[in-house]
CSV table of all heavy atoms in Angstrom, one decimal:
chain,number,residue,atom,x,y,z
A,58,MET,N,-17.5,2.5,3.2
A,58,MET,CA,-17.6,1.1,3.7
A,58,MET,C,-16.1,0.6,3.9
A,58,MET,O,-15.8,0.0,5.0
A,58,MET,CB,-18.3,0.2,2.6
A,58,MET,CG,-18.4,-1.2,2.9
A,58,MET,SD,-18.9,-2.1,1.4
A,58,MET,CE,-17.4,-1.9,0.4
A,59,ARG,N,-15.2,0.9,3.0
A,59,ARG,CA,-13.8,0.4,3.2
A,59,ARG,C,-13.2,1.1,4.4
A,59,ARG,O,-12.4,0.5,5.1
A,59,ARG,CB,-13.0,0.6,1.9
A,59,ARG,CG,-13.6,0.0,0.7
A,59,ARG,CD,-13.4,-1.5,0.7
A,59,ARG,NE,-12.0,-1.9,0.7
A,59,ARG,CZ,-11.6,-3.1,1.1
A,59,ARG,NH1,-12.5,-4.0,1.6
A,59,ARG,NH2,-10.3,-3.4,1.1
A,60,ARG,N,-13.4,2.4,4.5
A,60,ARG,CA,-12.8,3.2,5.6
A,60,ARG,C,-13.3,2.6,6.9
A,60,ARG,O,-12.5,2.5,7.8
A,60,ARG,CB,-13.2,4.7,5.5
A,60,ARG,CG,-12.5,5.6,6.4
A,60,ARG,CD,-12.9,7.1,6.3
A,60,ARG,NE,-12.9,7.5,4.9
A,60,ARG,CZ,-13.9,7.7,4.1
A,60,ARG,NH1,-15.2,7.5,4.6
A,60,ARG,NH2,-13.8,8.1,2.8
A,61,GLU,N,-14.6,2.3,7.0
A,61,GLU,CA,-15.1,1.8,8.3
A,61,GLU,C,-14.5,0.4,8.5
A,61,GLU,O,-14.0,0.0,9.6
A,61,GLU,CB,-16.6,1.7,8.2
A,61,GLU,CG,-17.3,1.2,9.5
A,61,GLU,CD,-18.8,1.1,9.4
A,61,GLU,OE1,-19.3,1.2,8.3
A,61,GLU,OE2,-19.4,0.7,10.4
A,62,ALA,N,-14.4,-0.4,7.4
A,62,ALA,CA,-14.0,-1.8,7.6
A,62,ALA,C,-12.5,-1.9,8.1
A,62,ALA,O,-12.2,-2.7,9.0
A,62,ALA,CB,-14.1,-2.6,6.3
A,63,ILE,N,-11.7,-1.1,7.6
A,63,ILE,CA,-10.2,-1.2,8.0
A,63,ILE,C,-10.1,-0.9,9.5
A,63,ILE,O,-9.1,-1.3,10.1
A,63,ILE,CB,-9.3,-0.4,7.1
A,63,ILE,CG1,-9.5,1.1,7.3
A,63,ILE,CG2,-9.3,-0.9,5.7
A,63,ILE,CD1,-8.3,1.9,6.9
A,64,GLN,N,-11.0,0.0,10.0
A,64,GLN,CA,-10.8,0.4,11.4
A,64,GLN,C,-11.2,-0.8,12.4
A,64,GLN,O,-11.0,-0.7,13.5
A,64,GLN,CB,-11.6,1.7,11.7
A,64,GLN,CG,-11.1,2.8,10.8
A,64,GLN,CD,-11.9,4.1,11.1
A,64,GLN,OE1,-11.8,4.7,12.2
A,64,GLN,NE2,-12.7,4.5,10.1
A,65,THR,N,-11.8,-1.8,11.8
A,65,THR,CA,-12.1,-3.0,12.6
A,65,THR,C,-11.1,-4.1,12.5
A,65,THR,O,-11.2,-5.1,13.2
A,65,THR,CB,-13.5,-3.6,12.2
A,65,THR,OG1,-13.2,-4.2,10.8
A,65,THR,CG2,-14.6,-2.6,12.1
A,66,LYS,N,-10.0,-3.8,11.8
A,66,LYS,CA,-9.0,-4.8,11.6
A,66,LYS,C,-7.7,-4.5,12.4
A,66,LYS,O,-7.5,-3.3,12.8
A,66,LYS,CB,-8.6,-4.9,10.1
A,66,LYS,CG,-9.8,-5.1,9.1
A,66,LYS,CD,-10.5,-6.4,9.4
A,66,LYS,CE,-11.7,-6.5,8.3
A,66,LYS,NZ,-12.6,-7.6,8.7
A,67,ALA,N,-6.9,-5.5,12.6
A,67,ALA,CA,-5.7,-5.3,13.4
A,67,ALA,C,-4.4,-5.7,12.6
A,67,ALA,O,-4.5,-6.6,11.7
A,67,ALA,CB,-5.7,-6.1,14.7
A,68,PRO,N,-3.3,-5.1,12.9
A,68,PRO,CA,-2.1,-5.5,12.2
A,68,PRO,C,-1.8,-6.9,12.5
A,68,PRO,O,-2.1,-7.5,13.5
A,68,PRO,CB,-1.0,-4.6,12.8
A,68,PRO,CG,-1.7,-3.5,13.5
A,68,PRO,CD,-3.1,-4.0,13.8
A,69,ASN,N,-1.1,-7.6,11.5
A,69,ASN,CA,-0.8,-9.0,11.7
A,69,ASN,C,0.7,-9.1,11.9
A,69,ASN,O,1.5,-8.1,11.9
A,69,ASN,CB,-1.3,-9.9,10.6
A,69,ASN,CG,-0.6,-9.5,9.2
A,69,ASN,OD1,0.6,-9.5,9.1
A,69,ASN,ND2,-1.4,-9.2,8.2
A,70,ALA,N,1.2,-10.4,12.1
A,70,ALA,CA,2.6,-10.6,12.4
A,70,ALA,C,3.6,-10.0,11.4
A,70,ALA,O,4.7,-9.6,11.7
A,70,ALA,CB,2.9,-12.1,12.6
A,71,ALA,N,3.1,-10.0,10.1
A,71,ALA,CA,4.0,-9.4,9.1
A,71,ALA,C,4.1,-7.9,9.2
A,71,ALA,O,5.3,-7.4,9.2
A,71,ALA,CB,3.4,-9.7,7.7
A,72,HIS,N,3.0,-7.2,9.6
A,72,HIS,CA,3.1,-5.8,9.8
A,72,HIS,C,4.0,-5.5,11.0
A,72,HIS,O,4.9,-4.6,11.0
A,72,HIS,CB,1.8,-5.2,10.2
A,72,HIS,CG,0.8,-5.2,9.0
A,72,HIS,ND1,-0.3,-6.1,9.1
A,72,HIS,CD2,0.7,-4.5,7.9
A,72,HIS,CE1,-1.0,-5.9,8.0
A,72,HIS,NE2,-0.5,-5.0,7.2
A,73,LEU,N,3.9,-6.4,12.0
A,73,LEU,CA,4.7,-6.2,13.3
A,73,LEU,C,6.2,-6.4,13.0
A,73,LEU,O,7.0,-5.7,13.5
A,73,LEU,CB,4.1,-7.1,14.4
A,73,LEU,CG,2.7,-6.7,14.9
A,73,LEU,CD1,2.1,-7.8,15.7
A,73,LEU,CD2,2.7,-5.4,15.7
Side-chain angles (χ1 to χ4, degrees):
M58 180 194 67
R59 301 289 297 158
R60 187 178 310 106
E61 185 184 3
I63 64 158
Q64 297 179 70
T65 67
K66 310 297 182 192
N69 63 54
H72 295 109
L73 293 167

